[in-house]
Amino acid sequence: MLDIERNPSGLGAQIKGIDIAKPVSDQDFAAILSALGNSGVVCFPQQVIEAAQLKAFAGRFGTLEINVANAFYEPGHPEVMVLSNIVEDGKPIGLADAGQDWHTDMSYSREIAYANVLYAIKVPRRDGKALGRTEFADMRAAYDELPGDLKTRLADKTITHDFNKFWEHMRSQPGSRRPPLTEEQRRRKPPVSHPVFLTHPVTGRKTLYANPGYSIRINELSSQESDEILDFLFRHQLQAKFVHAHEWTEGDVLMWDNLCTLHNARPDYGPDEHRLIKRCQVMADKILNPAFVRTAFERAGSAVPH
Ligand SMILES: [Fe+2]
């Protein structure tokens, strides 16, 4: 039986009573789906796992992304990406500047991402305090608190998301080693459109699916109206009342839901303050299939929670 402790704010939960290294039972799987939908971010503390076990756990939730083109990954496990600022023999062992500003993973992709599963192996600390926290913003609460007329106005609208927007933002940061995207890379990641609001497949709650990292245009509005409303949405969605920060501890397996949260990796540590995290990216192919969700809850002897 899982021990699930939800944060009073509604964003974030801690789940104990499970060993991620072992196969997850149908009951636990349904309970995690439910907790992730209800809390947006869940942490499984004190885990000890290998790359293959991280992959097996994450793979229950959907197809895992393989991004070998420009990523550091675990030998033999291209689904497991290495995030790190550690340099060995002059060579970086992981991607050092991943996700450093507010965004939603893969909103720029036709097939969007459902969840990320990260395993913390090394956490930088200064004066005993953990550095490199990851912040999350709750897009269910952000939707709920939008003015009613804006909810109505944007209900049938779509937003263009462009990979190049965040890439160029990262390139503009001091010390960035990212080259500009080539024509070929841009062709392989063309801008895509998604609805402004999504309905979460597990909870049935509406979420605001816009983010300052990749969203560039509300397609059905004039350029000026689009700029004004996006500017409003970006400020609205990052209000402190919607934000929860995760302070990392070694052994944390942290899982978040990209359908209903934004995240931001805080780069408040130096090159000699080492961080090592392994990550799987779960695509939304399965979770957006109603039969997958229904079957997951039926196997656990329960009904979809909404
Ligand atoms: Fe990210």
Side-chain angles (χ1 to χ4, degrees), residues 156-176:
D156 57 350
K157 304 290 188 286
T158 59
I159 291 181
T160 296
H161 300 254
D162 187 354
F163 180 75
N164 193 51
K165 182 182 182 188
F166 197 73
W167 188 269
E168 282 298 314
H169 174 68
M170 292 306 300
R171 268 172 40 73
S172 71
Q173 301 304 303
S176 172

Side-chain angles (χ1 to χ4, degrees), residues 1-6 13-18 28 31 35 43-45:
M1 187 69 180
L2 299 184
D3 171 12
I4 302 175
E5 195 179 317
R6 293 188 65 188
Q14 192 164 78
I15 304 184
K16 294 180 182 167
I18 184 169
D28 285 354
C43 179
F44 306 90

Side-chain angles (χ1 to χ4, degrees), residues 19 36 50 66 74 76 90 119 163 175 190 193 195 230 234 245 258 296 300:
D19 180 354
L36 188 61
E50 299 295 330
I66 297 181
E74 187 76 4
Y119 175 50
F163 180 75
S193 293
L230 281 180
F234 297 156
N258 286 295

Side-chain angles (χ1 to χ4, degrees), residues 224-236:
Q224 188 190 339
E225 280 177 310
S226 167
D227 286 351
E228 284 168 9
I229 293 180
L230 281 180
D231 186 56
F232 171 80
L233 292 177
F234 297 156
R235 279 183 286 115
H236 169 80

Side-chain angles (χ1 to χ4, degrees), residues 145-213:
E145 294 196 26
L146 280 175
D149 57 339
L150 198 56
K151 280 183 191 164
T152 308
R153 189 159 173 225
L154 298 179
D156 57 350
K157 304 290 188 286
T158 59
I159 291 181
T160 296
H161 300 254
D162 187 354
F163 180 75
N164 193 51
K165 182 182 182 188
F166 197 73
W167 188 269
E168 282 298 314
H169 174 68
M170 292 306 300
R171 268 172 40 73
S172 71
Q173 301 304 303
S176 172
R177 292 189 202 156
R178 297 188 184 209
L181 292 179
T182 62
E183 281 300 311
E184 171 59 18
Q185 284 171 317
R186 293 199 68 168
R187 248 197 317 275
R188 274 192 276 125
K189 290 186 197 293
V192 298
S193 293
H194 299 295
V196 180
F197 306 131
L198 300 181
T199 300
H200 196 280
V202 174
T203 63
R205 283 184 69 177
K206 285 246 170 62
T207 76
L208 170 58
Y209 198 67
N211 69 85

Side-chain angles (χ1 to χ4, degrees), residues 17-248:
I18 184 169
D19 180 354
I20 300 292
K22 298 197 175 123
V24 176
S25 70
D26 289 339
Q27 279 71 25
D28 285 354
F29 180 61
I32 294 167
L33 276 184
S34 194
L36 188 61
N38 283 313
S39 297
V41 190
V42 297
C43 179
F44 306 90
Q46 297 181 315
Q47 301 291 325
V48 180
I49 54 172
E50 299 295 330
Q53 295 161 333
L54 178 64
K55 193 164 96 173
F57 174 76
R60 282 289 299 270
F61 297 86
T63 302
L64 301 182
E65 191 219 6
I66 297 181
N67 183 359
V68 290
N70 49 25
F72 295 89
Y73 61 93
E74 187 76 4
H77 300 287
E79 304 89 345
V80 180
M81 194 164 160
V82 180
L83 309 178
S84 186
N85 59 348
I86 299 173
V87 176
E88 283 174 358
D89 301 328
K91 290 196 185 113
I93 67 162
L95 186 63
D97 63 351
Q100 295 173 352
D101 213 330
W102 288 101
H103 65 288
T104 301
D105 283 4
M106 304 204 69
S107 74
Y108 57 81
S109 168
R110 192 151 305 288
E111 309 291 335
I112 60 175
Y114 167 34
N116 289 55
V117 188
L118 271 65
Y119 175 50
I121 297 163
K122 276 198 173 118
V123 176
R125 281 197 182 73
R126 202 180 298 156
D127 304 326
K129 190 168 163 32
L131 303 170
R133 69 186 182 276
T134 306
E135 297 173 335
F136 297 92
D138 187 341
M139 290 307 102
R140 303 157 307 167
Y143 172 83
D144 289 348
E145 294 196 26
L146 280 175
D149 57 339
L150 198 56
K151 280 183 191 164
T152 308
R153 189 159 173 225
L154 298 179
D156 57 350
K157 304 290 188 286
T158 59
I159 291 181
T160 296
H161 300 254
D162 187 354
F163 180 75
N164 193 51
K165 182 182 182 188
F166 197 73
W167 188 269
E168 282 298 314
H169 174 68
M170 292 306 300
R171 268 172 40 73
S172 71
Q173 301 304 303
S176 172
R177 292 189 202 156
R178 297 188 184 209
L181 292 179
T182 62
E183 281 300 311
E184 171 59 18
Q185 284 171 317
R186 293 199 68 168
R187 248 197 317 275
R188 274 192 276 125
K189 290 186 197 293
V192 298
S193 293
H194 299 295
V196 180
F197 306 131
L198 300 181
T199 300
H200 196 280
V202 174
T203 63
R205 283 184 69 177
K206 285 246 170 62
T207 76
L208 170 58
Y209 198 67
N211 69 85
Y214 298 115
S215 301
I216 57 169
R217 175 76 198 259
I218 302 173
N219 299 307
E220 297 81 2
L221 303 182
S222 72
S223 166
Q224 188 190 339
E225 280 177 310
S226 167
D227 286 351
E228 284 168 9
I229 293 180
L230 281 180
D231 186 56
F232 171 80
L233 292 177
F234 297 156
R235 279 183 286 115
H236 169 80
Q237 69 187 169
L238 295 178
Q239 292 176 75
K241 62 183 172 181
F242 301 140
V243 173
H244 157 74
H246 178 72
E247 303 264 355
W248 290 91

